[in-house]
Amino acid sequence: MLGLKLLTDPRWANIAESNLEEILTDHAWCEQKAASNAISLITQNSEHQGLVHELTAIAIEEMQHFQQVIEIIKRRGYTLGRERKDDYVNQLMKFIKRDGSRNTAFIDRLLFAAMIEARSCERFRVLSKNIKDKELATFYHDLMVSEANHYTTFLNFARRYTIDVDVEKRWKQWLDFEGELIKSYGKKEHIHG
């Protein structure tokens, strides 16, 4: 369904589970950044009422996920570490087209968001299926469903609001780029790492 070119090796869940405090801290900050990204898209594209409505709901949901992760961290006696640099997301950001029309940049930002949601969904699926911790397996299953909805929302907005971009062609380029990029990741206890 997601179209990802390379799936995560299920053994990545063992890496994640070997340092739950680290994966949970990284995850918390991913949720905060997802909320910030939705707010940024609203701020820059407020003329699209449907987008404002839907992305407001996504921003709130992402912050609720942030809060849920924080509560898990606290219950387990862990400490929320400092915000992590996300090399994967930073590499994806470099692929965003910035030299075309305003619409081209807008559509690419939506596809960028869809790509992150797709990979997060896939990673949460791996955790939900392979992590031994039952509470976290259930938690990640629920988040997998949420991320799939976000992925669909961003991709559908790109299709709805395009003026001068062949969204299907550009989405294929995003999938190909991410498929090569992700080959360098999956070795750390980071959601995208």
Side-chain angles (χ1 to χ4, degrees):
M1 171 188 104
L2 301 170
L4 297 172
K5 300 293 183 183
L6 182 66
L7 299 180
T8 300
D9 184 326
R11 292 175 293 184
W12 170 75
N14 299 331
I15 296 169
E17 199 162 27
S18 72
N19 191 346
L20 288 177
E21 186 169 11
E22 179 62 28
I23 193 76
L24 289 167
T25 289
D26 183 68
H27 178 192
W29 290 115
C30 287
E31 297 292 354
Q32 180 273 324
K33 290 172 194 169
S36 295
N37 186 58
I39 292 166
S40 176
L41 279 162
I42 291 167
T43 302
Q44 296 168 3
N45 304 282
S46 58
E47 68 275 16
H48 300 295
Q49 290 182 353
L51 178 132
V52 170
H53 175 74
E54 290 292 324
L55 294 193
T56 297
I58 286 176
I60 291 167
E61 187 176 0
E62 299 288 18
M63 285 309 295
Q64 288 170 338
H65 294 163
F66 177 78
Q67 183 179 27
Q68 288 173 324
V69 178
I70 297 300
E71 289 171 3
I72 291 170
I73 288 170
K74 184 178 176 184
R75 268 197 324 270
R76 291 174 179 237
Y78 300 150
T79 302
L80 175 65
R82 305 223 14 120
E83 180 183 0
R84 283 12 181 197
K85 180 179 170 189
D86 194 327
D87 291 326
Y88 167 83
V89 170
N90 290 335
Q91 291 299 317
L92 285 180
M93 286 186 84
K94 293 176 183 177
F95 195 65
I96 296 173
K97 287 189 176 185
R98 292 180 171 84
D99 58 352
S101 69
R102 181 176 185 271
N103 184 255
T104 298
F106 172 43
I107 298 307
D108 244 35
R109 277 290 305 281
L110 290 168
L111 295 177
F112 162 79
M115 188 81 264
I116 294 170
E117 297 290 346
R119 181 55 66 186
S120 297
C121 176
E122 190 265 346
R123 287 284 170 97
F124 292 160
R125 181 181 183 281
V126 169
L127 288 172
S128 72
K129 297 274 188 199
N130 297 287
I131 202 165
K132 294 176 185 77
D133 185 305
K134 297 300 180 198
E135 176 194 15
L136 290 179
T138 300
F139 177 63
Y140 282 115
H141 177 269
D142 293 344
L143 290 186
M144 173 191 69
V145 173
S146 176
E147 301 298 296
N149 290 331
H150 297 171
Y151 150 78
T152 303
T153 298
F154 285 114
L155 193 53
N156 286 340
F157 276 138
R159 291 173 176 143
R160 180 188 310 173
Y161 293 123
T162 189
I163 296 169
D164 55 1
V165 178
D166 180 337
V167 172
E168 302 314 315
K169 179 180 176 184
R170 184 61 179 148
W171 181 238
K172 183 183 178 320
Q173 292 170 346
W174 271 99
L175 289 169
D176 290 343
F177 177 79
E178 198 272 351
E180 286 300 313
L181 177 65
I182 201 67
K183 289 177 182 177
S184 301
Y185 295 90
K187 300 166 184 74
K188 295 181 181 176
E189 57 280 280
H190 297 164
I191 295 299
H192 302 121

